[in-house]
Amino acid sequence: MSDLGSEDAESGEAEKDIGEYEGDRDGEGRRHGLGKARLPNGDTYEGQYEHGLRSGHGTYRFKNGALYTGDYLQNKKHGKGVFFYPDGSKYAGDWVHDQRQGYGEYLYANGDTYTGEWANNKRHGQGTYVYKETGSKYVGCWVNGIQNGPAELIHLNHRFKGRFLNGKPLGRGKFIFDIGCEQHGEYVQPVQEKEEEDEDEPPLPLEPVWKVSEITKLTPWSPDDEELLVPKEAEGGEAEEGEIPSALDAEEGGDHPEGDAGEEGEEKREEEVNQDQEDQEITDFGG
């Protein structure tokens, strides 16, 4: 039986006591006020009750080492609370009816963090995801746990500003370098040709390709601008696809934007692993 049943096992308290209990009761003998309970499976709860249900502030300890401390409403995590998971990950923030919803911070077992808005247990709205191993971070919009919308992907000495769709950059954007210049262009989704013998199998999605349009000094353009940036020839001529300013080549530690593809792909895989971890914890603990 999953550990989700552990907390749910106490949901019938209003009608019947389950396990051991020490604490206050109301006029009808139901748990009410401060109390301590031990469930038959070894889980424990210490905190406030209202007419037989966990309501108010309390701490619920799972037998496998997981722990939730925070607000409850009618046996559901509701309000502010912190959930410590057995693998060392932690969520601290808002809860609504047992779901991560509102604003909160999730520290993952691998050291990555997400800080921002949540809905229905998913990263949703504005948020910042930091990759511990590289120090890179994604700052922008999320939809149902996926990077989607205007955002910045910030690295050690440069950053990308543009739009994301289904977790990948797509459309117009620019790379901004710390030495004071920008590379404008767009990510284009390649069209994959199907071979005749593979007609029954769907083609694997191809990674978006970065197409350079120009090199400029720093500009105020952002993906939120309603008017699209009109390409202009940069000083010294229009940049070729994949070309970067000579100053970038001379800068010690300067990174070519396209050279980040492998690193960003690895970061994306780490993030997907953490998303799977979130989903499993929902299955195991209900949040």
Side-chain angles (χ1 to χ4, degrees), residues 60-85:
Y60 192 104
R61 300 176 187 272
F62 294 82
K63 61 181 179 181
N64 65 358
L67 179 148
Y68 170 79
T69 182
D71 299 329
Y72 277 94
L73 180 64
Q74 296 183 343
N75 273 353
K76 303 290 186 182
K77 295 181 285 290
H78 190 92
K80 301 286 186 182
V82 183
F83 205 121
F84 299 88
Y85 297 94

Side-chain angles (χ1 to χ4, degrees), residues 25-53:
R25 297 181 181 272
D26 62 13
E28 298 181 10
R30 295 173 297 188
R31 304 175 185 184
H32 187 80
L34 289 176
K36 300 179 182 179
R38 176 177 292 276
L39 277 69
N41 69 351
D43 291 357
T44 64
Y45 172 77
E46 181 173 355
Q48 296 175 310
Y49 286 87
E50 287 186 9
H51 307 297
L53 300 175

Side-chain angles (χ1 to χ4, degrees), residues 4-22:
L4 174 59
S6 303
E7 272 193 297
D8 286 352
E10 216 179 356
S11 63
E13 290 178 47
E15 292 79 26
K16 178 181 177 182
D17 276 352
I18 296 178
E20 304 171 9
Y21 176 73
E22 176 184 343

Side-chain angles (χ1 to χ4, degrees), residues 236-264:
E238 184 175 344
E240 297 295 332
E241 179 181 339
E243 183 182 338
I244 57 176
S246 58
L248 291 181
D249 291 325
E251 177 76 1
E252 183 177 353
D255 291 328
H256 190 302
E258 292 183 331
D260 285 336
E263 176 184 297
E264 291 174 11

Side-chain angles (χ1 to χ4, degrees), residues 126-221:
Q126 289 290 323
T128 298
Y129 191 103
V130 179
Y131 303 88
K132 181 184 179 183
E133 185 173 350
T134 63
S136 300
K137 60 182 176 180
Y138 171 95
V139 182
C141 293
W142 299 77
V143 176
N144 293 325
I146 300 173
Q147 297 168 350
N148 215 93
E152 284 190 75
L153 190 57
I154 303 171
H155 300 291
L156 179 62
N157 52 17
H158 74 277
R159 55 199 166 100
F160 170 76
K161 181 181 283 189
R163 287 182 174 272
F164 284 70
L165 180 66
N166 295 325
K168 300 180 184 300
L170 194 65
R172 293 180 61 83
K174 64 180 181 179
F175 284 90
I176 306 166
F177 296 88
D178 290 352
I179 59 175
C181 63
E182 299 178 347
Q183 186 185 84
H184 296 259
E186 64 178 327
Y187 273 101
V188 179
Q189 182 66 58
V191 177
Q192 186 174 25
E193 297 181 2
K194 290 181 63 176
E195 299 182 5
E196 294 183 4
E197 59 269 20
D198 296 332
E199 288 184 358
D200 295 335
E201 297 184 7
L204 295 174
L206 297 175
E207 292 295 317
V209 175
W210 175 245
K211 302 285 187 180
V212 179
S213 62
E214 63 172 346
I215 306 296
T216 71
K217 296 180 180 180
L218 299 180
T219 67
W221 181 86

